[in-house]
Amino acid sequence: MKKVNVVFGTVYGSAQYTAETVNGAIAKLGFTTTLWQPTELLGFVPPQDELLLVVCSTTGQGDIPEDIAPWFNELKNNAPYLPSLKYSLIGLGDSSYETFCGAIKQFDELFIELGAKPLLDKLEIDACETMEPEIEAKTWIASWHNAVTSANVA
Ligand SMILES: Cc1cc2nc3c(=O)[nH]c(=O)nc-3n(C[C@H](O)[C@H](O)[C@H](O)COP(=O)(O)O)c2cc1C
C-alpha cells in the first residue's frame, strides 16, 4: 500500500485535531502514514509515489494560517513539477465569511499549478454547521478510500 503524508495548518487547533483523527482513520485502513507538524515542513517536497492529504483552516480574509504559510510559499516559489502526485484536501472554514475555505482553495490552485492531480473533490467543513469537524472528516475518509481504491493508486 502507498504511504500517506498528512499535513495541516491551523490557528486554534481544530484542523490539527481533524488531521490527527483522519491520520488515525487512514492508519486503521492499513496505510502507513506520516503526520507532519507544520514546523517540520520546510524543505518537504511531497513524494509523487506517495499520497498527500492537506487539512487546513482559513484565517484573516481567506488567508493561510501562519504555521503552514512558509511551506505554501516555499512550494509556490520553488514550483517543483509534480505531475504524478495525487492530493486530497480538507478545508475548515466558516460560511459567514465571503472567503469561505479560502486557504484550502489556495492549496488546490497551487497543486494544480504544480501539475498534481486531485484524488477526489475537496471536503469543506463549515463551522456554522458543525462543532466537530473531525467527525465529518472521518466520514469523508470512506470516499477518500473509495477514490484510492478505484484510482488503483493504493
Ligand atoms: C480571525 C478569524 C478569521 C477567519 N477567517 C475566515 C475566512 O476568511 N474564511 C473562512 O472560511 N473561515 C474563516 N475563519 C473561520 C475558521 O477557519 C474556522 O473557525 C476554523 O474551524 C478554525 O480552525 P482552526 O482551529 O484549525 O484554526 C476565521 C476565523 C477567525 C477567528
Side-chain angles (χ1 to χ4, degrees), residues 39-101:
T39 47
E40 300 172 328
L41 284 172
L42 275 189
F44 173 63
V45 178
Q48 298 192 66
D49 58 348
E50 301 178 2
L51 300 169
L52 176 69
L53 174 57
V54 180
V55 184
C56 192
S57 68
T58 294
T59 189
Q61 293 295 326
D63 300 330
I64 291 173
E66 259 180 37
D67 59 351
I68 200 171
W71 184 60
F72 178 92
N73 293 330
E74 183 180 69
L75 282 177
K76 189 144 185 99
N77 293 334
N78 294 349
Y81 183 48
L82 304 172
S84 304
L85 178 67
K86 302 274 190 311
Y87 69 93
S88 319
L89 304 171
I90 298 177
L92 277 72
D94 182 324
S95 60
S96 64
Y97 289 84
E98 269 179 38
T99 46
F100 177 55
C101 282

